[in-house]
Amino acid sequence: MKKTQNPPKKSANPIKNPAQKPIIKKTDAKRTPKSLSADDVIDDFSRVNYITVTPNQDGQRIDNFLLARLKGLPRSHLYKLIRDDEIRINKKRCKPHDRVNTGDVVRIAPVRLSVRDEPVVSDDFARGLLGRVVFENEGLIVLNKPHGLAVHGGSGESFGVIEAMRVATCKKYLELIHRIDKDTSGLLLIAKKRSTLKDLQEQFREKTIQKSYLCLVVGHVKSDKQIIDQPLLKYTLPSGERRVKIDKQGKPSQTKIEVLARFEIDGRAVSLVRASPLTGRTHQIRVHMASIGHALLGDDKYLRQPAPSAPRLCLHAWQLNLAGDSDATKQFVADVPSDMANLFPKECEFLITHKKS
C-alpha cells in the first residue's frame, strides 16, 4: 500500500516572481547633518559641520571665511586641511583662494582647536587704542596703528589690533581690510560692515587706493625720484621664519620713491624717503630699498650694512587716498610717532603732523 505524500506547506511570504528581490528598508543609513548658517556661532568643531554661506560672506575667500570661524587654528594647519580635502565647497575640492557665494555649503571635517581665551585688554590700553582712531563712520575705522603691535593674533602673538579693537569697541563684527607689518606704524583700515569690507578690498585689487609711506634709509639716495621694478619671492629660513628676496621667479612688484631730504645722523648719511607701493607684496618697501643699497634704519631682517642706530623699524604708513561715492578722494594722514619723528631733520618737521600732498 502506497503512502500518501502530504503536499508541501505554502510559505507564509511567497515570492511570486523569483527574479524579484524583496525590498529591504535601510534603517541605518547615514544622514547628512543639518547645515548651519554662517551667521551663527558654531561651538562644536569636533564633528563634521556643514555651513551655509549668507550674503554677509558672499565673495569672501574660503581661507578667510574659515579663519574667522576656526579661532585658534594656525593658518598653516588650515592650508593643510584644504590640501588634504578636509574642506569642501558644495561637495567639491577647493583651494585657499577660491571664493564662496551666497547659498554655498561648506563642509568642515572635525577639527581640534586650541582654546584661546579672549584677550584681556586693560582700560588704559583700550582708551589708548581708541584714541588712535583717525576716522570713523558707520562702516569704516581708520586707525593709526602703533609700532610693535601685530594686526592679528597667531604666530606667537596672543592677540593683535583686530582682537583688541573688538574688545575695546564691544563690536561683534570688525574685520581687517588689509594688513601692515607688526613693526610698521601707521594707517590701518578696519571694516565695521561686510559691504565696506568687500568694497574696499575690491579697491585694493583694482589698485584705486593710493598709499604713501615715510621711511628713513641708509645713505644718500642719488635719484630724487625713481620706480623700483623688481620681482619679489617669498621663502622660508631653516628656522621657519619667512623672508622675501628679489628673484626672477617672484611676483611683479613696483615701488615709486621720492627723496624728501638727505642728511646725517651720528655722522652717517641718511635719506628720508616717501615710498608709494604700486603693488602690495610682503615686505615690499623694505626689500626694494635694500636692493638699491639703501636699507631701512632699524630693519633687523634686511639691513646688512653699517647704519645709525634706531629704536624701531623706520617705516610709517603715512597717507592713504580712498575712492568712492561717500568718501570720494578722501585722504587720511597718520601723524608720525615721536620715536621715528625725533630722527627727522628740522627742515622736515612739517611732515610730522597733518599735511596733504
Side-chain angles (χ1 to χ4, degrees):
M1 183 177 177
K2 293 182 180 180
K3 293 183 179 180
T4 305
Q5 294 182 348
N6 295 327
K9 294 182 179 180
K10 293 183 179 181
S11 173
N13 296 306
I15 300 174
K16 295 181 180 180
N17 184 1
Q20 180 181 351
K21 295 182 179 181
I23 298 174
I24 301 175
K25 293 184 179 180
K26 296 182 179 180
T27 58
D28 59 345
K30 293 183 179 179
R31 296 181 179 179
T32 301
K34 182 180 178 182
S35 180
L36 303 171
S37 169
D39 290 337
D40 297 334
V41 176
I42 302 169
D43 296 321
D44 184 9
F45 282 98
S46 64
R47 61 180 179 82
V48 175
N49 277 287
Y50 292 84
I51 304 175
T52 300
V53 177
T54 76
N56 289 328
Q57 302 87 36
D58 185 69
Q60 192 172 25
R61 281 177 49 141
I62 184 63
D63 55 352
N64 293 328
F65 174 87
L66 295 167
L67 286 169
R69 287 155 184 81
L70 299 172
K71 304 295 185 182
L73 185 71
R75 189 177 290 264
S76 58
H77 291 189
L78 171 64
Y79 291 151
K80 186 177 187 301
L81 286 175
I82 295 175
R83 287 196 304 271
D84 293 347
D85 197 23
E86 301 289 355
I87 306 295
R88 289 202 159 207
I89 304 175
N90 298 330
K91 301 182 180 180
K92 297 180 181 179
R93 295 182 70 104
C94 60
K95 295 182 178 179
H97 60 264
D98 288 345
R99 297 183 182 276
V100 296
N101 299 304
T102 302
D104 285 350
V105 177
V106 178
R107 177 192 182 276
I108 304 175
V111 180
R112 178 178 293 179
L113 299 177
S114 60
V115 178
R116 178 183 293 177
D117 295 331
E118 186 176 273
V120 178
V121 179
S122 69
D123 291 341
D124 288 343
F125 186 88
R127 282 194 296 269
L129 202 57
L130 294 176
R132 302 181 71 90
V133 172
V134 174
F135 172 84
E136 183 174 4
N137 63 13
E138 66 279 359
L140 176 67
I141 294 175
V142 182
L143 183 75
N144 185 358
K145 185 188 85 68
H147 151 76
L149 181 61
V151 295
H152 57 72
S155 300
E157 303 291 337
S158 58
F159 69 90
V161 171
I162 193 64
E163 292 88 0
M165 284 293 288
R166 286 172 184 149
V167 175
T169 61
C170 299
K171 294 185 183 297
K172 182 179 179 181
Y173 185 92
L174 284 182
E175 295 292 342
L176 293 168
I177 295 172
H178 65 122
R179 291 169 173 79
I180 59 176
D181 292 342
K182 172 183 176 180
D183 295 328
T184 302
S185 58
L187 295 171
L188 181 68
L189 303 182
I190 300 172
K192 298 166 64 178
K193 298 193 302 185
R194 175 66 185 161
S195 57
T196 302
L197 179 69
K198 290 176 63 177
D199 176 52
L200 293 182
Q201 286 185 335
E202 179 63 23
Q203 288 191 39
F204 272 108
R205 285 192 291 271
E206 296 296 327
K207 300 179 181 179
T208 58
I209 293 179
Q210 299 174 345
K211 297 187 293 179
S212 292
Y213 292 72
L214 293 180
C215 55
L216 291 171
V217 304
V218 177
H220 287 164
V221 182
K222 292 182 179 179
S223 300
D224 290 341
K225 295 181 180 181
Q226 62 178 295
I227 293 180
I228 304 171
D229 188 352
Q230 294 283 1
L232 298 178
L233 180 69
K234 292 181 182 179
Y235 68 101
T236 304
L237 296 175
S239 63
E241 184 180 357
R242 291 182 295 174
R243 295 284 179 90
V244 179
K245 63 181 178 180
I246 303 292
D247 193 287
K248 292 181 180 179
Q249 302 301 316
K251 294 182 179 180
S253 309
Q254 299 86 33
T255 304
K256 181 171 66 175
I257 67 170
E258 176 186 1
V259 179
L260 302 179
R262 299 178 180 89
F263 57 104
E264 291 186 353
I265 297 177
D266 298 332
R268 295 183 183 274
V270 173
S271 298
L272 174 60
V273 173
R274 175 176 181 167
S276 301
L278 305 181
T279 50
R281 312 299 180 203
T282 301
H283 297 173
Q284 178 172 316
I285 294 173
R286 299 164 68 176
V287 178
H288 271 174
M289 292 306 302
S291 74
I292 63 171
H294 299 286
L296 274 63
L297 300 190
D299 194 336
D300 61 357
K301 289 182 171 62
Y302 305 106
L303 177 60
R304 300 184 180 91
Q305 60 200 110
S309 62
R312 50 160 292 182
L313 174 69
C314 292
L315 182 62
H316 178 68
W318 184 44
Q319 291 184 348
L320 189 148
N321 293 337
L322 288 183
D325 296 332
S326 59
D327 294 317
T329 64
K330 181 73 175 180
Q331 184 184 75
F332 303 109
V333 181
D335 290 347
V336 182
S338 59
D339 55 3
M340 181 174 165
N342 289 340
L343 301 175
F344 284 18
K346 289 185 177 180
E347 62 267 26
C348 292
E349 289 180 350
F350 69 94
L351 296 170
I352 297 172
T353 54
H354 290 7
K355 174 186 177 295
K356 293 186 178 182
S357 59

